[in-house]
Amino acid sequence: MALDYRERIPNNVDLRENRALQRALEHWQPHFLDWWKEMGPAAFAGADVYLRTATTVDEKGWASYGMVKMPEYRWGIFLAEPVPDRRIGFGDALGEPVWLQVPGEHRSALRRLIVTQGDTEPASVEQQRRLGENCPSLYDLRNLFQVNVEEGRHLWAMVYLLHGYFGRDGREEAEELLARHSGDPDKPRILGTFNQPIADWLSFFMFTYFTDRDGRFQLKSLAESAFDPLSRTCRFMLTEEAFHMFVGASGITRVVKRTLEVMKALGSEDPAAVRNAGAIDLATLQRYINFWFSSSLDLFGAEISSNAASYFANSLKGRPDEARFADHLAIDQSLRIEVPDGKGGVSGEDVPMRNAMNEVTRAAYVRDCDVGVQRWNRLLAEAGYDFRFRLPSPRFRRAIGVWAGVATDPEGRPITQEEWQQREPDWLPSAADRTFVASLMRRVTEPGKMAGWIAPPEIGINNTPLDYEYVRLN
């Protein structure tokens, strides 16, 4: 389905036929542009950036590439093609026709789901707004900006739903999405992870690998929704979210490759020697993995959740790839969940499956995260080193759920608070680690050149050469 770029707001939802909605969104648009100017990528408004822009929503031709100034990027409202005679795939309404409007009894819950998802999109732009000042290459700078403009478009996607289906309440929520800011002490973003500063590119790659991967699982869950406009919105967003995870996976891979090159040249694995040579040692990489993976785990919510049960029962939010499950009602099933036993150990609790939906999704996320970890470990093995990266236990450093506030080591073994305080610098990035990583962040903007702590990518964007001028700085 082609998009109409003659419109002030490009869209494929027949916005021209709904004048009231069009006027409301055109009223919101200047507020969005003011937010982008204030909170978007700092000091790059005049740069020409080689960006991908959606032109269709089918799988064969949904993007075109060209030089664009970011404030002129054509943000819009794009929904995936409707599925003919789509039926509800889970919950108590299983098999019924999907909803084209919001049922009154589910209005509040659906609005909360949409607002929470929508709040993450501008939050990540705000977290990353100063990264361009110390980019490791023009290739990476361009990828950062591509992620940023797409997060901005994902905000538009949620705002369309709020304006189009929730009346005055939705319009007020859309304004609040621009009023909250990442890390603001008075009006922070809704979810804690999106208030964490991202001051260096290693954190950016970890964020796009781990936190954007959580976003993918959340979008896949919402794509199962019986509310069809939400489902179609999320299905299109998933095509763009895949690139964000690519940025993280390939970025960390390139950091590991460069570290291995330096270790080979030095003939040493000593972290101090690797650091002195301008690369990031493996132990520091592991600590960053521990931090960002554990932060992202909390985004799935508590292991035992009445809200999750209600969302599933009411067909609002399903499991990712719901079709692969045999039972779409999940009434007579349970899931055994590990919980603290109150005595410094671990016990098991059988939880009704509907109440355990967050944990089902979190477990799938953990397996997906581990794919990249094993890929990085193959690089270590091929280079002849014994060191191996690993994901910490899902019990480690939790702030939400049954393990919230329970001290464990990265293997998930409960420990005393005294031992946690003593060992924390071994497991999480210390102030010294962050200072060291920050010291490597030197801006490199000569086409084809890379900072010394990261290897070049294997191929350029859209088959362009690596020395292509992806961002033309003024």
Side-chain angles (χ1 to χ4, degrees):
M1 182 184 295
L3 307 174
D4 189 350
Y5 274 88
R6 295 170 297 179
E7 294 289 332
R8 180 176 174 183
I9 302 173
N11 71 92
N12 68 340
V13 295
D14 295 325
L15 197 58
R16 185 184 299 177
E17 303 302 315
N18 189 336
R19 297 297 298 170
L21 176 58
Q22 184 179 25
R23 285 193 298 270
L25 289 171
E26 288 179 349
H27 174 77
W28 186 82
Q29 189 176 42
H31 298 275
F32 168 80
L33 292 174
D34 287 344
W35 166 82
W36 181 270
K37 181 179 179 180
E38 179 185 359
M39 302 301 296
F44 290 96
D48 290 312
V49 187
Y50 187 65
L51 293 175
R52 179 186 63 203
T53 305
T55 55
T56 68
V57 296
D58 57 41
E59 294 181 357
K60 295 182 179 178
W62 63 275
S64 65
Y65 290 83
M67 285 293 179
V68 181
K69 288 180 171 59
M70 282 184 287
E72 300 171 6
Y73 188 80
R74 298 309 308 276
W75 287 288
I77 301 161
F78 315 139
L79 274 63
E81 300 271 10
V83 175
D85 192 33
R86 180 173 174 247
R87 300 281 166 160
I88 298 171
F90 65 95
D92 294 344
L94 179 68
E96 297 178 9
V98 294
W99 314 322
L100 302 183
Q101 297 294 330
V102 178
E105 65 271 27
H106 301 316
R107 184 181 182 85
S108 177
L110 272 171
R111 187 177 70 240
R112 183 165 60 250
L113 285 169
I114 291 167
V115 167
T116 302
Q117 179 63 43
D119 194 71
T120 68
E121 314 297 351
S124 61
V125 177
E126 294 167 350
Q127 288 173 288
Q128 300 158 16
R129 69 182 304 264
R130 308 208 72 90
L131 283 177
E133 298 171 359
N134 53 24
C135 60
S137 72
L138 286 183
Y139 169 91
D140 292 293
L141 184 62
R142 178 266 167 203
N143 284 349
L144 167 69
F145 293 159
Q146 184 72 56
V147 169
N148 289 162
V149 295
E150 289 178 354
E151 299 290 15
R153 205 208 63 74
H154 294 176
L155 170 61
W156 268 95
M158 297 295 112
V159 165
Y160 159 71
L161 294 175
L162 291 170
H163 274 270
Y165 295 93
F166 293 91
R168 180 177 178 179
D169 290 345
R171 292 191 295 273
E172 291 176 352
E173 293 282 15
E175 294 294 336
E176 285 297 303
L177 289 174
L178 298 177
R180 289 185 291 271
H181 298 306
S182 177
D184 189 309
D186 299 318
K187 297 197 74 171
R189 290 298 175 181
I190 294 171
L191 301 176
T193 298
F194 291 89
N195 291 299
Q196 294 281 355
I198 302 179
D200 62 75
W201 280 76
L202 181 58
S203 293
F204 173 66
F205 292 138
M206 294 288 174
F207 180 94
T208 47
Y209 185 81
F210 290 112
T211 310
D212 278 329
R213 192 170 303 273
D214 159 79
R216 172 174 175 260
F217 276 82
Q218 301 295 346
L219 290 175
K220 290 180 79 170
S221 295
L222 294 172
E224 301 289 343
S225 178
F227 179 40
D228 205 45
L230 174 59
S231 171
R232 291 174 59 199
T233 296
C234 292
R235 282 192 282 125
F236 181 76
M237 289 168 68
L238 282 164
T239 64
E240 297 174 325
E241 200 71 28
F243 173 74
H244 305 184
M245 294 186 301
F246 162 79
V247 170
S250 62
I252 298 172
T253 298
R254 291 162 55 210
V255 175
V256 173
K257 285 183 175 179
R258 179 57 184 154
T259 298
L260 291 175
E261 290 172 357
V262 169
M263 288 165 56
K264 181 178 179 181
L266 292 173
S268 173
E269 303 176 49
D270 178 54
V274 172
R275 287 187 173 202
N276 287 336
I280 302 174
D281 58 285
L282 300 178
T284 297
L285 290 174
Q286 178 65 63
R287 288 192 286 273
Y288 271 72
I289 289 171
N290 290 348
F291 178 88
W292 285 104
F293 175 71
S294 57
S295 296
S296 301
L297 286 176
D298 277 340
L299 295 172
F300 291 91
E303 291 87 346
I304 306 170
S305 170
S306 58
N307 280 339
S310 176
Y311 293 152
F312 188 89
N314 293 321
S315 305
L316 305 182
K317 182 180 180 181
R319 293 168 288 193
D321 304 309
E322 180 66 37
R324 69 185 176 88
F325 294 92
D327 179 2
H328 304 299
L329 293 174
I331 293 175
D332 300 321
Q333 297 176 303
S334 64
L335 184 70
R336 192 160 185 81
I337 291 177
E338 294 177 335
V339 300
D341 65 4
K343 304 174 184 178
V346 182
S347 63
E349 180 178 338
D350 291 321
V351 177
M353 185 62 73
R354 288 187 172 187
N355 293 83
M357 287 298 170
N358 289 342
E359 192 62 14
V360 171
T361 305
R362 184 170 17 242
Y365 165 82
V366 171
R367 292 192 296 271
D368 202 50
C369 286
D370 196 52
V371 172
V373 173
Q374 297 313 315
R375 187 179 301 120
W376 305 325
N377 283 340
R378 284 195 291 274
L379 294 175
L380 298 176
E382 290 167 2
Y385 296 102
D386 294 331
F387 188 98
R388 295 293 181 269
F389 296 113
R390 64 190 184 281
L391 296 176
S393 166
R395 308 173 199 161
F396 177 73
R397 194 177 160 263
R398 293 291 301 280
I400 293 174
V402 296
W403 290 95
V406 178
T408 79
D409 64 15
E411 285 70 43
R413 293 185 291 263
I415 58 176
T416 64
Q417 287 293 335
E418 291 74 18
E419 184 176 357
W420 166 263
Q421 292 172 2
Q422 183 181 22
R423 298 294 306 279
E424 182 181 359
D426 297 331
W427 299 331
L428 297 174
S430 65
D433 289 333
R434 295 187 184 280
T435 298
F436 164 69
V437 171
S439 74
L440 299 179
M441 301 296 114
R442 296 288 184 267
R443 188 176 181 183
V444 177
T445 56
E446 183 180 347
K449 299 297 183 181
M450 298 283 151
W453 56 272
I454 190 168
E458 294 183 359
I459 57 174
I461 300 296
N462 193 33
N463 296 317
T464 54
L466 287 178
D467 60 357
Y468 187 79
E469 191 176 8
Y470 292 108
V471 182
R472 295 173 186 163
L473 301 170
N474 296 329

